[in-house]
Amino acid sequence: MSAQHTTHAHDAHGHDDHHHSDDGPHSTFSGYMVGFVLSIILTAIPFWLVMAKVITDRNTAVLVLGGFAVIQILVHMVCFLHMNGKAEGGWTLLSTIFTVVFVAIAISGTLWVMFHMNANMMPEHPTPTPPAHEAPGHSRP
């Protein structure tokens, strides 16, 4: 074998030739404070909406509160967990997206099966009518 095939990623001093430009996500105090303030706001607004009964329709309230919850999850992931396209070569974000898609498919499939199980599993059978009761003392001709 030639010397080209047996070279390793070591420099002349025996150190690895890896550059640690991405040692991990780093944040500043102001970055954490922005995340903290956004978390407080995204908690206080839905709390006020529910306690003041601003939204009277239940379905609308669930959608609005769910939207605030999703936004707050994204704030936590970006500000505190430092998930972005650059961290760990993008694999962290990619694995998170895969997990979210997988869980959404699993939950929606489970709900679809549960809501449609009765109609899809059992055909409609005619219900037999009970025999009519006759009054005592009367006989049929």
Side-chain angles (χ1 to χ4, degrees):
M1 285 176 56
S2 68
Q4 290 178 339
H5 293 88
T6 59
T7 58
H8 297 288
H10 295 286
D11 62 7
H13 300 290
H15 297 110
D16 288 333
D17 192 23
H18 301 286
H19 298 285
H20 298 288
S21 61
D22 189 20
D23 289 337
H26 299 286
S27 187
T28 61
F29 180 74
S30 62
Y32 284 118
M33 287 308 293
V34 166
F36 179 70
V37 169
L38 284 174
S39 296
I40 296 295
I41 291 170
L42 292 170
T43 301
I45 292 173
F47 183 79
W48 172 75
L49 289 173
V50 170
M51 295 306 289
K53 297 181 181 172
V54 174
I55 303 172
T56 56
D57 183 41
R58 181 179 173 97
N59 293 333
T60 305
V62 167
L63 288 175
V64 169
L65 296 177
F68 275 104
V70 168
I71 293 170
Q72 191 169 82
I73 288 170
L74 293 174
V75 166
H76 282 260
M77 288 173 64
V78 171
C79 292
F80 301 121
L81 298 177
H82 309 293
M83 287 188 166
N84 57 27
K86 298 174 190 169
E88 296 183 20
W91 286 108
T92 304
L93 183 63
L94 187 63
S95 65
T96 302
I97 291 171
F98 173 77
T99 302
V100 168
V101 168
F102 182 78
V103 168
I105 290 171
I107 289 174
S108 61
T110 301
L111 291 175
W112 182 81
V113 167
M114 288 171 52
F115 284 126
H116 296 91
M117 189 182 304
N118 188 31
N120 293 334
M121 297 296 285
M122 297 297 293
E124 292 293 323
H125 295 289
T127 307
T129 55
H133 295 295
E134 296 178 5
H138 293 272
S139 62
R140 291 186 123 179

